[in-house]
DNA sequence: CCTACGATTCACT
DNA sequence: GTGAATCGTAGGC
């Protein structure tokens, strides 16, 4: 059944979509569930990164850190930054192209107690997974899962079909330095689950509406 | 070898 | 809203 924001595909079709342009594949991940052992979350916010832009880790070619980005689509690219945080991406586009989708926020479904233990600073369920570093911490992700096939049903860390998004919201990506693609609208969120998003969305919706999203009560950046 | 900085989070004003 | 923390990575010399 298709919601206003799209449909949930099966794993084979998702892999096929991930092999296409990363900015088209990224929103298709919304509504998918990310499962790590007994933990389950539903993706509500993602960002696309393409090899050709200076803000992308793969911009200057393969390195030991980003090598999985140049492999086939649907695999886990994890990296460590700010001396503290791990970030999880899904590789995209065909082998040889260094592109990926950053998973920025999710709704917790199973294993809330275990996630809360890993996120002692979180006072509310909304604070468990509303940021890429938080998401990785709550799900106990680090270099261990680097290169895992996220579309392999046997993988301890994997994607599974969830529920289609209520609507698709689009905005500019967070934390991108000026001149490095900060104006590109490749941040995508499920308009039906704004409660779980990392920060309010102010950008365009694909329908052409301009302005704050319905749920955006807090101050934007 | 040395330096700059980051796809962030948190505490604090 | 502002700024510090913290360290691996990448680029330059």
């Amino acid at each position: 059944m298709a919601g206003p924001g799209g449909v949930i595909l099966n794993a084979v079709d998702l892999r096929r979509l991930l092999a296409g342009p990363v900015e088209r594949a990224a929103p298709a991940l919304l509504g998918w569930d990310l499962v790590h052992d007994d933990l389950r979350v539903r993706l509500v916010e993602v960002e696309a990164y393409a090899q050709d832009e200076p803000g992308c880790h793969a911009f200057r070619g393969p390195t030991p850190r980003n090598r999985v980005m140049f492999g086939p689509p649907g695999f886990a690219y994890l990296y460590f930054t700010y001396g503290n945080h791990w970030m999880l991406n899904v590789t995209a586009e065909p082998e040889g192209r260094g592109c990926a989708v950053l998973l920025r926020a999710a709704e917790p479904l199973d294993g809330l107690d275990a996630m809360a233990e890993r996120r002692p600073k979180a006072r509310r369920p909304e604070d468990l997974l509303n940021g890429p570093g938080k998401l990785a911490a709550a799900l106990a992700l680090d270099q261990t899962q680097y290169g895992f096939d996220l579309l392999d049903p046997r993988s301890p860390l994997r994607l599974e079909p969830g529920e289609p998004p209520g609507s698709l919201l689009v905005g500019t990506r967070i934390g991108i330095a000026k001149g490095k693609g900060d104006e590109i609208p490749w941040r995508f969120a499920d308009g039906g689950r704004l409660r779980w998003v990392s920060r309010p969305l102010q950008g365009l919706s694909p329908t052409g509406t301009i302005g704050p999203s319905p749920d955006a009560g807090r101050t934007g950046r």
Side-chain angles (χ1 to χ4, degrees):
Chain A
M1 196 60 185
V7 283
I8 287 289
L9 311 168
N10 60 44
V12 172
D13 287 338
L14 181 61
R15 177 102 66 191
R16 189 173 297 127
L17 196 50
L18 284 168
V22 64
E23 70 273 25
R24 289 211 294 131
L29 285 169
L30 298 174
W32 276 72
D33 290 354
L34 180 65
V35 181
H36 188 208
D37 297 328
D38 294 333
L39 309 175
R40 175 180 295 266
V41 306
R42 183 155 297 156
L43 301 179
V44 304
E45 181 188 345
V46 301
E47 286 177 355
Y49 289 86
Q51 181 180 348
D52 327 87
E53 10 155 24
C56 179
H57 289 172
F59 181 62
R60 297 173 192 258
T63 69
R65 177 174 72 159
N66 69 19
R67 68 188 185 283
V68 73
M69 292 179 79
F70 290 87
F75 288 71
Y77 166 48
L78 286 130
Y79 70 92
F80 186 69
T81 191
Y82 290 104
N84 281 303
H85 310 292
W86 287 95
M87 313 275 164
L88 173 63
N89 298 251
V90 182
T91 61
E93 304 210 3
E95 195 160 357
R97 285 271 301 161
C99 307
V101 180
L102 172 69
L103 307 186
R104 284 197 56 90
E107 170 185 357
L109 296 181
D110 293 339
L112 290 264
D113 291 345
M115 291 185 222
E117 282 183 33
R118 291 230 162 227
R119 294 267 313 118
K121 302 284 170 56
R123 305 269 175 135
R124 321 164 298 158
E126 288 88 342
D127 295 323
L128 250 23
L129 303 161
N130 59 349
K134 299 176 185 178
L135 187 153
L139 291 174
L141 305 180
D142 55 31
Q143 69 273 34
T144 310
Q145 293 83 26
Y146 188 96
F148 279 19
D149 183 357
L150 298 172
L151 293 177
D152 182 343
R154 298 162 303 178
S155 173
L157 178 66
R158 62 191 182 277
L159 292 163
E160 293 184 356
E163 195 174 290
S167 65
L168 177 63
L169 296 178
V170 182
T172 54
R173 295 170 296 181
I174 307 294
I176 304 296
K178 231 183 171 186
K180 292 198 171 186
D182 57 304
E183 75 295 339
I184 303 176
W186 282 2
R187 178 182 178 220
F188 306 98
D190 177 356
R193 292 192 174 88
L194 290 174
R195 172 184 174 195
W196 308 103
V197 163
S198 67
R199 310 166 91 175
L201 241 68
Q202 297 192 11
L204 297 176
S205 86
T207 61
T209 312
I210 292 185
S213 50
D215 229 22
R218 292 136 298 194
T219 310
R221 72 191 196 93

